[in-house]
Amino acid sequence: MKPIVLDSTGADIQGESARIQQRGPVALVELPGGVPAWSVTDQAILRSLLADPRVSKDPRQHWMSFINGEITEAWPLLPWVAVDSMFTAYGVDHRRLRRLVSPAFTHRRTTALRPRIAEITEGLLDGLAATPAGEPVDLRDRFAYPVPIRVITELVGVPDDLGPAMHKCVDGFFDGSFTAEQAQANYLEMYRLVSELVAYRRAHPGDDVTSVLIGTRDEDDSHLSEKELVDTLMLVINAGHETTVNLLDQAIVALLTHPEQRAAVAEGEVSWADVVEETLRFQAPVAHLPLRYAVEDIDIAGGYRIGKGEAILASYAGASRDPKVHGATATEFDPTRATREQHLAFGHGAHHCLGAPLARLEAAVALPALFDRFPHMRLATSPAELAPVPSFISNGHATVPVLLHAD
């Protein structure tokens, strides 16, 4: 059976995920550039693989196609696999890097951001409130996007003059329409900007993630290389932004297209925490995450085998809608479902997202503030006309046009 060729534009992420599921819990797919990988959409199997020491994220050690030179700079997804950070580290290296980064995402540091998140949110809402009645406004661009990008750039300590160019590069990392040349150029520009950030924070240290990592690198003999430092900051900025943008985007759309659920939230019958968890399950912010690799042959119940050195694609969109976990209503948005927290939106195991508490906090602050300020808000177009972002990785909308005020 031929592999399913993934649509790099993400035109129908959920439909495509359902088709992959129909092939079986583990199915062969083709990534951009004709690169094969095993897509895992069975939640139990994926959860097991994500915690399995026989599964690596280091292509230099464990991906045969990378080792033998088949994966070259011409591959558009190269920036996703060739970085030197905890995102692609394995075993001892991963534990070393995660230990160095973890202090930047402590519970204290995260919860201390709540007042600033609220301040950013209120400022954006004040700007939105000035929109004339009857004039559509794009909530992805005007709300879902700026909340997390401002939070993460302040957390990381990005000076104002580097912000706009860095934001553009972040968008480029998730753009499935990029050619290999564009993807590589985008990576190099982001690397240059983050290197500038490091140089600035060496000269002007503060209470920010970059300064914390620089202090570790320069003072503690941590063996954190300069490239690892820059790539780690790139990971923090990219992951800390795009996933939360999509979480806010998808939660807004879900509530605007499910009036009964919106009413239940407004009446206090459903909590915002329930909305956040069900959104993460219903529309995983990262649909497919490249890549992992089998360190050795892995046999899976049902007669499936992932061979040593083969690539594995964590298909969170499919796994989070697994009917074996969520039943016949797995494809429906229902914040009251008992299994709403049983998703893999932030991964699992050693590579579970360090920024998950921050993403949840941003949503918990921003979403109720938005719906409280604009209780009559509605979509300015039909749901069918909401186009996706051009990516099979990032799961969001290109625009979310709404009318904020009652007619």
Side-chain angles (χ1 to χ4, degrees):
M1 187 179 293
K2 290 185 177 180
I4 292 177
V5 179
L6 290 185
D7 180 358
S8 62
T9 70
D12 182 22
I13 279 175
Q14 297 298 350
E16 188 172 65
S17 294
R19 290 189 290 276
I20 295 170
Q21 268 184 338
Q22 290 171 2
R23 289 279 183 95
V26 180
L28 198 61
V29 298
E30 185 178 297
L31 300 171
V35 174
W38 292 102
S39 171
V40 185
T41 55
D42 180 287
Q43 188 172 132
I45 293 174
L46 181 54
R47 192 181 295 274
S48 175
L49 289 172
L50 294 177
D52 195 325
R54 298 174 299 168
V55 175
S56 167
K57 293 194 75 177
D58 187 345
R60 295 172 180 85
Q61 292 189 65
H62 301 121
W63 188 16
M64 195 55 62
S65 295
F66 193 94
I67 293 167
N68 65 21
E70 293 175 41
I71 303 300
T72 68
E73 290 191 358
W75 193 45
L77 297 182
L78 187 69
W80 281 91
V81 305
V83 293
D84 288 319
S85 72
M86 64 182 183
F87 184 73
T88 57
Y90 174 71
V92 173
D93 272 344
H94 177 260
R95 289 190 290 274
R96 170 179 63 88
L97 291 168
R98 193 173 177 98
R99 175 179 56 80
L100 296 172
V101 176
S102 293
F105 290 91
T106 61
H107 177 73
R108 180 196 63 79
R109 186 180 286 272
T110 298
T111 54
L113 289 169
R114 179 181 280 272
R116 180 56 183 145
I117 295 169
E119 184 180 7
I120 291 170
T121 297
E122 289 304 313
L124 292 168
L125 294 177
D126 288 344
L128 290 170
T131 305
E135 181 178 308
V137 60
D138 177 9
L139 281 188
R140 183 174 175 97
D141 179 63
R142 297 280 301 277
F143 189 75
Y145 186 97
V147 170
I149 199 67
R150 290 187 189 178
V151 171
I152 199 66
T153 51
E154 289 184 18
L155 182 66
V156 171
V158 178
D160 291 342
D161 62 314
L162 291 181
M166 198 171 285
H167 301 170
K168 183 178 179 181
C169 287
V170 170
D171 293 342
F173 263 90
F174 293 87
D175 194 328
S177 67
F178 269 22
T179 64
E181 292 78 12
Q182 288 173 314
Q184 183 68 4
N186 188 71
Y187 170 80
L188 292 174
E189 175 64 5
M190 183 73 170
Y191 194 94
R192 182 188 69 78
L193 291 168
V194 176
S195 296
E196 281 192 33
L197 164 63
V198 170
Y200 176 83
R201 283 300 168 199
R202 274 206 173 97
H204 308 88
D207 183 24
D208 55 77
V209 170
T210 301
S211 298
V212 169
L213 291 177
I214 289 171
T216 302
R217 158 97 174 99
D218 294 351
E219 299 169 14
D220 294 350
D221 189 28
S222 67
H223 308 294
L224 181 70
S225 71
E226 192 73 8
K227 187 173 189 302
E228 285 176 334
L229 171 62
V230 173
D231 279 348
T232 294
L233 287 166
M234 289 173 65
L235 168 64
V236 169
I237 294 167
N238 282 317
H241 164 244
E242 188 75 9
T243 52
T244 311
V245 174
N246 290 339
L247 169 56
L248 296 175
D249 164 341
Q250 295 286 9
I252 292 167
V253 172
L255 288 177
L256 293 182
T257 53
H258 294 81
E260 71 289 351
Q261 304 292 4
R262 180 180 179 181
V265 174
E267 293 165 9
E269 297 171 4
V270 173
S271 73
W272 281 104
D274 294 339
V275 170
V276 170
E277 294 308 313
E278 176 65 356
T279 302
L280 290 166
R281 184 207 68 81
F282 178 65
Q283 293 285 5
V286 174
H288 306 277
L289 187 63
L291 273 174
R292 286 169 165 81
Y293 322 98
V295 175
E296 58 186 66
D297 290 348
I298 301 175
D299 291 316
I300 297 168
Y304 299 94
R305 168 173 284 191
I306 300 176
K308 177 181 179 180
E310 293 180 341
I312 302 168
L313 185 67
S315 294
Y316 297 135
S320 291
R321 290 189 175 195
D322 188 342
K324 292 187 293 300
V325 178
H326 303 291
T329 64
T331 61
E332 300 173 14
F333 177 75
D334 179 10
T336 69
R337 75 171 66 245
T339 58
R340 61 186 170 272
E341 295 182 8
Q342 295 181 39
H343 59 75
L344 293 170
F346 292 118
H348 180 67
H351 286 272
H352 182 268
C353 179
L354 275 174
L358 177 58
R360 286 185 167 103
L361 176 61
E362 291 177 68
V365 171
L367 289 171
L370 173 68
F371 281 86
D372 286 348
R373 181 72 74 95
F374 304 111
H376 303 292
M377 177 173 60
R378 58 187 174 86
L379 284 175
T381 186
S382 72
E385 294 177 345
L386 294 175
V389 293
S391 174
F392 77 98
I393 299 171
S394 179
N395 182 23
H397 299 94
T399 62
V400 182
V402 303
L403 295 170
L404 295 171
H405 309 287
D407 293 334

